[in-house]
Amino acid sequence: MSIEEIKKAAEYLRPRIIPGTEVAIVLGTGLGGLVGEIETVDSIPYEDIPCFPVSTVEGHKGRLIIGKIGGVSVIAMQGRFHYYEGYTMQQVTMPARVMKLLGIKTLIVSNAAGGLNPGFKVGDVMVITDHINMFGTNPLIGKNLDEFGPRFPDMSETYSKRLTELALKIGKEENLDLRTGVYVGTSGPTFETPAEYKMFRLLGGDAVGMSTVPEVIIAHHAGIEVFGVSIITDSGVPGEIVEVSHEEVQKVAAAAEPRMTKVISRLVEEIGKGTSPKS
Ligand code: HPA
């Protein structure tokens, strides 16, 4: 995606977002329920946005919600673009760059993921502390767009420690029993074989899924503060692995969604109270 295309999408959206919006949220599979917490002022189907890719997978509605959570202005992506759908890495990550141009300072991402950590249960909510990119590619390959960030971006704190700590504090206050861990991102669309789950655990992963890593790399490259959360929808732990389907993933994600929604909505309120995290 060229800078012109990214600018075109941003120019279309700028007059439609709430001026001063600094928080964007990406809602993953089965996690659209957070939309119920948003005092919606506008809803824009992806197909209306110039140069924006269009989402196809079931469980992803494909629209941008403009509104407020607890008085804090947000943009929420209901539905994201996945690499396994056949989009290029540039298409998958284009929304993150559009958000940068719109003035977003904090990106909150959510996803459904398979559990690798034997201490996790199906239905757990995991705050992402770090990731391992197993997509076999990187969205920053190619000419660097210097207006967004450096050629060789530092990744020593990709997921904001400040927001992680804030979320864990909220989790304690609300009795949400949050987990923390490393998210392994893979292309999909196959779920893992038992040998692959085992390998990802050996590599240091706590959860595995088919999204998030590309958008997070692009957001972090552009200096956006990132917070991520995974819902553990199935187990990849030896002895616990059962057949998994997209339907089951959606069902478990929807059941766990109120706890994730609680964390995110309170986090957004806290972010709104503070000063801008990064300028
Ligand atoms: N593997 C990969 N992606 C997933 C899984 C899984 O087990 N569960 C939900 N998304």
Side-chain angles (χ1 to χ4, degrees):
M1 294 246 125
S2 67
I3 183 75
E4 286 73 31
E5 288 170 304
I6 298 163
K7 280 184 178 159
K8 224 172 165 176
E11 274 152 30
Y12 172 83
L13 291 171
R14 193 168 288 116
R16 297 190 64 172
I17 69 168
I18 302 167
T21 300
E22 293 189 346
V23 179
I25 305 169
V26 180
L27 302 169
T29 303
L31 300 173
L34 179 68
V35 170
E37 294 292 306
I38 305 176
E39 203 186 303
T40 304
V41 299
D42 204 356
S43 161
I44 307 165
Y46 292 159
E47 55 262 37
D48 289 0
I49 307 169
C51 308
F52 227 61
V54 177
S55 184
T56 58
V57 81
E58 208 185 313
H60 297 265
K61 278 207 186 103
R63 57 195 180 127
L64 219 56
I65 313 278
I66 312 292
K68 290 192 176 204
I69 296 178
V72 181
S73 303
V74 297
I75 307 175
M77 281 185 71
Q78 194 175 21
R80 59 149 65 84
F81 307 107
H82 297 90
Y83 191 52
Y84 62 73
E85 291 177 88
Y87 297 112
T88 63
M89 274 284 160
Q90 279 63 40
Q91 289 175 309
V92 168
T93 57
M94 185 218 189
R97 287 194 156 153
V98 172
M99 283 167 184
K100 176 68 184 181
L101 294 188
L102 291 173
I104 294 300
K105 303 264 191 291
T106 304
L107 179 68
I108 298 174
V109 291
S110 64
N111 59 58
L116 302 171
N117 184 324
F120 291 178
K121 299 184 302 297
V122 166
D124 276 353
V125 178
M126 181 189 93
V127 173
I128 303 173
T129 53
D130 203 351
H131 76 219
I132 298 174
N133 177 11
M134 292 297 285
F135 276 80
T137 184
N138 190 300
L140 288 170
I141 289 174
K143 188 180 173 322
N144 187 56
L145 296 182
D146 297 330
E147 51 270 70
F148 287 102
R151 169 74 292 185
F152 300 108
D154 168 71
M155 295 290 278
S156 61
E157 192 191 322
T158 309
Y159 296 82
S160 162
K161 282 209 176 99
R162 179 183 88 93
L163 295 181
T164 301
E165 279 163 20
L166 200 50
L168 294 177
K169 184 169 154 268
I170 291 166
K172 279 217 176 78
E173 285 168 14
E174 303 281 350
N175 267 317
L176 299 172
D177 204 16
L178 298 179
R179 312 275 168 229
T180 54
V182 173
Y183 176 88
V184 179
T186 69
S187 70
T190 46
F191 290 111
E192 285 63 39
T193 64
E196 288 165 344
Y197 281 125
K198 191 172 165 190
M199 172 186 74
F200 288 144
R201 179 64 185 159
L202 284 169
L203 290 179
D206 294 290
V208 54
M210 307 175 195
S211 67
T212 302
V213 165
E215 303 99 290
V216 166
I217 290 173
I218 289 298
H220 183 68
H221 175 248
I224 296 175
E225 188 176 34
V226 174
F227 174 77
V229 62
S230 293
I231 304 276
I232 307 302
T233 55
D234 53 277
S235 178
V237 175
E240 290 179 9
I241 300 170
V242 291
E243 196 177 319
V244 57
S245 66
H246 185 59
E247 290 67 34
E248 182 64 17
V249 165
Q250 283 178 300
K251 206 176 94 191
V252 178
E257 187 268 330
R259 277 174 295 135
M260 186 206 71
T261 290
K262 189 86 205 165
V263 182
I264 295 182
S265 53
R266 279 217 41 207
L267 191 64
V268 170
E269 284 168 35
E270 295 292 332
I271 292 168
K273 278 183 207 160
T275 45
S276 176
K278 268 189 189 179
S279 48

